[in-house]
Structures are given as structure tokens and as C-alpha cells.
Amino acid sequence: MTLRTRLTDLVGIEHPVVQTGMGWVSGAHLTAATANAGGLGILASATMTYAELETAIRKTKERTDEPFGVNLRADAEDAQQRVDLLIREGVKVASFALAPRREMIAQLKDAGLVVIPSIGAARHAEKVASWGADAVIVQGGEGGGHTGGVATTLLLPSVLDAVDIPVIAAGGFFDGRGLAAALSYGAAGVAMGTRFLLTKDSRVPDSVKAEYLQRGLGDTVVTTKVDGMPHRVLRTALVDALERSRGAATLVHAARNTLRFQALTGVSWKGLIDEGLALKKGGDRTWSQLMMSANTPMLLRAGLVDGNTEAGVLASGQVAGIIEDLPTVAELVPRIVAEAEDRLAAAAALRS
């Protein structure tokens, strides 16, 4: 038995399971491992320079012949160069954390790529669908990183009712029961971040993985003190300190991280300012929130790359509180699919 869905047909993958593009986590090794296991692995390029993305794509292609994707920031200074790179390298999927421009979607689709933006509301799904997006990932409030306040069980059906393109469910998924539930709702598959972070193929330090595994279901918190937007992370002493911080101290900390982020990525000051203005124009973010935005990549890097849980932030879905093992991706994906098949078969048997 295989689970053939609109997602598997659209992308040409074996299983309707997506590994999300997590900054500092979703590199070539994890992405290729997911692709080789039959799922859709997505490289996270927002925390990579252009040259690092070139290298990551090359390394992924050396490790797998299966389809994979790259997550892009449509508002990045060199977004067009990165789009051209994906087209030139024959990458199968372009995913976006923020809605890409209509012209960018058209260019990617004309080149044969599948375009899958991530969205947080039905109206956003309707917009990108009208612009030609092939599918959407919709993340409920249980998910890690930037998240909304609506649970997946309510957000998912609202999006399914709003659009006809394939919808991939994210937020709160970690096993085959979740995949079966999502498919029963009408989704074309599930996307998972924390579950893939907690695998042997993830390059996150083992000490950090141990920190995740010892947590319970109540050990994440949604905070706006990382970068001004709701962000689900593990509760740590640093996060508690950020939650208590006020005014000038918060902005000084953010300014320091902006300098570090600019030096690390090579993004020009003009580029940072242009990205900030785009975010300001596209939403309700205050100038203080924009100044805090560089906190996210630098604090995540300290935790997820350097393994410094005292000085870094650990983005996490609530599922961290229920995950207890570190399988390889080659073990994880078939296990999830087999569990989903069992649950769907049991549900079908209820009809008799």
C-alpha cells in the first residue's frame, strides 16, 4: 500500500511527508536524507549567503537524485539571483516563508519549478493561489518558530475550504497518526520541522537534541521578545530573561545582533534597510519590531549551531514534548507512512 496524494503526484516523491526549511538546521545532509527516504526535503537558504546556497545545492545533488526544494525569502536583497540559481540548477521546488511576488511565481513556474509558499491564513492562501502557486503549506499555532494563534485543527479546514490547490498541513505533526488525520481532513501531506530536527541526520549538536528530548508538552512558549513577532521556542533561562526585558535594553541587544548578522551574511546595509521597509509595508510591524528582527537568526545560530543553550534560542514545535527518540530519517519516514496506513485502514474498517 502506498499513500498517493496530489502532493506526491505534483512533486514526484514517494511519500506525502515534507521536511521544512529550518534556518541553521536544514542543510544538504538532512535535505538529501529526506529525499532519499521518499519525502520532500527543503534546504533553508535564508541563513545562507548566495555562495553557501550554491554549495548546499551542489552537495544535495551529490547525495541524492530525488526531488528536493529550497526555501527562499522573496524580500531578500539577492532574491532574483537565488531564483535564477534554482532554475539553473534544476531544483524541483521553490518554497517561501513570505508570499513571493506574482512575477516571481510566474518565472519559476515557466522554468518548471513547483512553487509552494507557506501561509498562515485562508486569505493568504487565496492570494497566492490566484497568483499561480502550485500548493501551500499551512502551519497552525502548535508549530515552532514564527507561528500564529489558530490551532492546526481549525486553520487547516479553513484553508482547505478556501482553495483548490494541494494543502500541506504543518504544526503539531510527528507520527503516522497525524499524517492519517491530515489526509482525512483533505490535506495532501504533512510538513514537519521539530521531528526532523530530532533525527540522527540533523546536524544540530547532540547536547541540544538532548535538551529537546527532556522537555514536556508545556515547555515551549510563544514570545514576541525574540524579534517582535510571535515565535514558539523552548522555554529557557535566556527566553525568560528576554520576556522580562523592557525598552532600551531590548533594542540595544537587537542592534548588536543586527551588526553580527550583517557581518555574517554579507548583506549590504541597503539590503537590510530595504528588507525592513518591505516588512513594514507588508504588515503591522513597528519600528522597534523591525530593529529586533536580526535577533532571530543570530540567537537561533547560537543555540542550534554553536550549541550554546544559555546564549541562544531553540525554536520548537509543541511536539518536542512528546518526541522521545532520535531515529535516522531513513527509519522515520517509512515508519510514519506505515503508521498512517494502519490508522487509515482501521478507520475504513469502522464503516462495516
Side-chain angles (χ1 to χ4, degrees):
M1 181 177 179
T2 58
L3 299 175
R4 180 178 177 180
T5 72
R6 295 174 71 189
L7 172 63
T8 60
D9 288 347
L10 176 66
V11 181
I13 54 178
E14 184 178 0
H15 304 304
V17 175
V18 178
Q19 162 248 305
T20 58
M22 298 167 280
W24 307 117
V25 177
S26 302
H29 187 85
L30 181 59
T31 300
T34 305
N36 286 330
L40 174 62
I42 299 178
L43 284 170
S45 78
T47 51
M48 297 179 186
T49 64
Y50 179 85
E52 288 170 341
L53 177 57
E54 277 189 307
T55 300
I57 291 173
R58 175 178 54 79
K59 287 183 176 180
T60 305
K61 291 169 71 173
E62 288 172 354
R63 290 173 166 85
T64 185
D65 294 324
E66 302 299 326
F68 66 92
V70 173
N71 184 260
L72 300 172
R73 279 192 58 175
D75 62 339
E77 181 183 25
D78 59 353
Q80 186 57 56
Q81 288 177 271
R82 294 177 185 239
V83 165
D84 294 340
L85 174 64
L86 266 59
I87 293 172
R88 187 166 65 250
E89 292 293 333
V91 173
K92 181 65 176 179
V93 173
S95 76
F96 292 88
L98 298 173
R101 298 184 302 276
R102 186 195 301 261
E103 315 85 74
M104 190 175 286
I105 293 177
Q107 181 186 4
L108 288 162
K109 288 172 61 73
D110 287 347
L113 276 79
V114 175
V115 179
I116 307 179
S118 294
I119 53 93
R123 66 181 185 278
H124 301 151
E126 290 174 327
K127 179 174 72 173
V128 295
S130 71
W131 288 356
D134 296 293
V136 291
I137 295 174
V138 53
Q139 177 178 301
E142 302 94 322
H146 290 121
T147 194
V150 180
T152 303
T153 50
L154 298 175
L155 184 59
L156 177 59
S158 74
V159 174
L160 286 165
D161 288 344
V163 296
D164 293 328
I165 60 177
V167 175
I168 303 157
F173 296 100
F174 67 99
D175 67 359
R177 292 172 295 181
L179 175 56
L183 295 178
S184 296
Y185 269 101
V190 296
M192 302 180 294
T194 306
R195 175 65 276 191
F196 279 101
L197 184 155
L198 294 174
T199 61
K200 288 187 173 69
D201 294 284
S202 162
R203 294 311 201 204
V204 171
D206 288 343
S207 60
V208 176
K209 293 177 185 177
E211 185 76 17
Y212 278 85
L213 290 176
Q214 70 180 2
R215 297 310 186 95
L217 283 172
D219 288 334
T220 65
V221 61
V222 177
T223 178
T224 60
K225 289 303 186 72
V226 175
D227 63 1
M229 300 294 286
H231 201 107
R232 186 177 292 281
V233 298
L234 287 186
R235 188 183 292 278
T236 63
L238 172 64
V239 171
D240 288 342
L242 289 173
E243 284 283 276
R244 294 192 300 268
S245 66
R246 294 291 183 271
T250 301
L251 295 181
V252 168
H253 186 73
R256 289 175 182 157
N257 273 332
T258 299
L259 291 170
R260 295 170 60 209
F261 182 67
Q262 192 273 339
L264 185 70
T265 62
V267 175
S268 71
W269 286 111
K270 180 182 182 301
L272 285 175
I273 293 170
D274 287 345
E275 289 179 24
L277 290 173
L279 288 171
K280 179 69 175 171
K281 181 179 179 181
D284 298 323
R285 301 182 76 167
T286 66
W287 287 113
S288 295
Q289 288 173 332
L290 293 176
M291 288 181 65
M292 293 167 65
S293 62
N295 273 345
T296 299
M298 297 316 300
L299 291 177
L300 288 174
R301 186 180 192 276
L304 296 173
V305 178
D306 301 334
N308 189 344
T309 57
E310 294 183 1
V313 165
L314 304 174
S316 177
Q318 287 183 303
V319 297
I322 203 168
I323 294 173
E324 298 179 341
D325 62 345
L326 292 173
T328 65
V329 171
E331 295 166 341
L332 175 66
V333 173
R335 184 177 83 190
I336 288 174
V337 173
E339 289 172 354
E341 290 170 348
D342 288 345
R343 295 312 310 152
L344 292 170
L350 295 175
R351 297 183 62 186
S352 60

